[in-house]
Structures are given as C-alpha cells and as structure tokens.
Amino acid sequence: MHIRRVGLAIASGATITALIIGAAAGAAAHNADGKPGGKGSPVASLVTAGTITKDQAISIRSALKEQRSQAKEQLQADRKATLNDVLSGLVSTGTLTQAQADALASTDKRGLRDLVEAGTVTREQLKAVAAGMREAREGSRDEKLAQMQAAQASVLAALVADGTLTQEQADAVGEALQSAQANRQANREGKGSRGIRGLA
C-alpha cells in the first residue's frame, strides 16, 4: 500500500504541466458542451444562461481540445525534464546513486513496485523523490497556471477573429474558465498532497 501511494505521488509530481495546463484546460475543453460535465461545467453554464449557444460551446470545446493536442509533445518534455531535475538533485545530495536515478527515470509508476522488490531502490528513496516532485510542482504552479490561461486566451481570441464568438462572449467564457480553475486549485490545496500524506 505504501509503495502504491508513493508511486501515485511520483506520477502526480511528474505531471506538473498536465495537472495545470492539461488537466485544467483539458477538463474545460472536454466539458465545454456540457458532456460529461453536465450543467455544472463552466462553459455549459453559459449555454444555460443564454450567453453562448450550444454550437458555440461545441466550437470552444473543439478548439481547446486541438490546442491541448498540439501542446502534448511539450507537456511530455516538461514532465520528463522536471523528473530528471529532481533525480539529479537527489544524486548530488547522495540520496540516490546515478544508477538508481537512471532506473527511476526509465520506468513508470507501474514499475516502481518492481524496483523496490528487486532492491534497486528503497521506499525511503521513493519518498524523497515524491517530496522533490511535490516541491517542484508547487514552485511552478503559478507559472504553469499563467501559461494555461494564456493558451486559453489565444484560443478564445482566434474564435473571436473567425466570428465564432463576440468579444463579450469570449470574455465571459474566459472568466468562467478561470473561476472554475481557481475553485479546483483551492480544492486541491485544501486536500493537500494525497500521495505524500500518511507515508511518514
């Protein structure tokens, strides 16, 4: 159970950009037409209010989804770079050997159990990696949020430019998305890091 929890912590830590850009923007994109998010999704609520039409909401969803797809390669590079930075730091402090860092860098969360069972790394070392990833995630949160909001603004500006939305509608969508993101962020901060809690 402890190993599984640490694995989840490393996985979530290694997906900094996905949590901020991919998860928040992606969730907004996926729910833009109210499915599966229902009436509570930020863009669907604007359809209910009459601010935008369902067809416009579908266009928003499609545009955000395309933007997220285009950013996928960069997201993967960012995740890898963050993990490598954390592992390098732990090697420099003597917490990990280079061989252990290489093994961790080349596996996924499913392989963590195998590394521990094989004696390649210890549970305490995995905890150190998880803590480093959490620190990196928290340190870059504001920057990644700003990047995500800039990407959303670019998508909405393009929809205004091609006549899909008016500027007033785009502003309303942007505000709704940002409000939903702020609420999700507050909820995450309130719950803390589930991957770390209870491991000490």
Side-chain angles (χ1 to χ4, degrees):
M1 178 64 73
H2 289 310
I3 294 171
R4 184 179 66 82
R5 288 180 180 173
V6 176
L8 290 175
I10 294 174
S12 64
T15 54
I16 294 172
T17 312
L19 282 173
I20 298 177
I21 297 179
H30 186 62
N31 293 337
D33 65 350
K35 299 176 183 179
K39 294 181 180 179
S41 64
V43 177
S45 66
L46 295 177
V47 175
T48 302
T51 305
I52 60 175
T53 67
K54 184 174 181 180
D55 285 344
Q56 287 174 318
I58 292 172
S59 295
I60 294 167
R61 173 188 178 186
S62 177
L64 287 172
K65 183 176 180 179
E66 181 179 355
Q67 186 280 327
R68 181 177 47 155
S69 177
Q70 292 172 350
K72 184 176 181 180
E73 184 175 339
Q74 184 60 49
L75 296 178
Q76 292 172 339
D78 288 347
R79 290 195 295 267
K80 186 68 173 177
T82 300
L83 178 59
N84 287 338
D85 286 346
V86 170
L87 293 175
S88 294
L90 292 174
V91 170
S92 68
T93 62
T95 303
L96 296 173
T97 66
Q98 187 59 56
Q100 289 173 322
D102 292 343
L104 287 168
S106 63
T107 193
D108 57 21
K109 64 180 180 179
R110 297 173 193 166
L112 293 175
R113 181 183 300 273
D114 293 338
L115 291 179
V116 173
E117 291 179 350
T120 305
V121 296
T122 67
R123 179 174 164 268
E124 290 302 315
Q125 288 172 321
L126 287 183
K127 286 172 63 177
V129 176
M133 296 304 293
R134 179 180 63 180
E135 182 178 351
R137 181 174 66 247
E138 292 173 349
S140 65
R141 181 175 293 144
D142 289 345
E143 177 185 353
K144 298 303 180 183
L145 179 60
Q147 291 175 356
M148 178 199 64
Q149 291 176 344
Q152 288 181 344
S154 177
V155 168
L156 294 175
L159 292 174
V160 171
D162 70 13
T164 301
L165 298 175
T166 67
Q167 186 60 57
E168 290 76 14
Q169 288 173 322
D171 291 342
V173 172
E175 290 173 6
L177 293 177
Q178 289 188 26
S179 177
Q181 290 150 11
N183 289 338
R184 283 193 293 270
Q185 183 64 36
N187 289 337
R188 281 196 295 267
E189 291 175 352
K191 292 177 181 177
S193 176
R194 297 193 307 180
I196 299 296
R197 191 172 56 218
L199 289 175

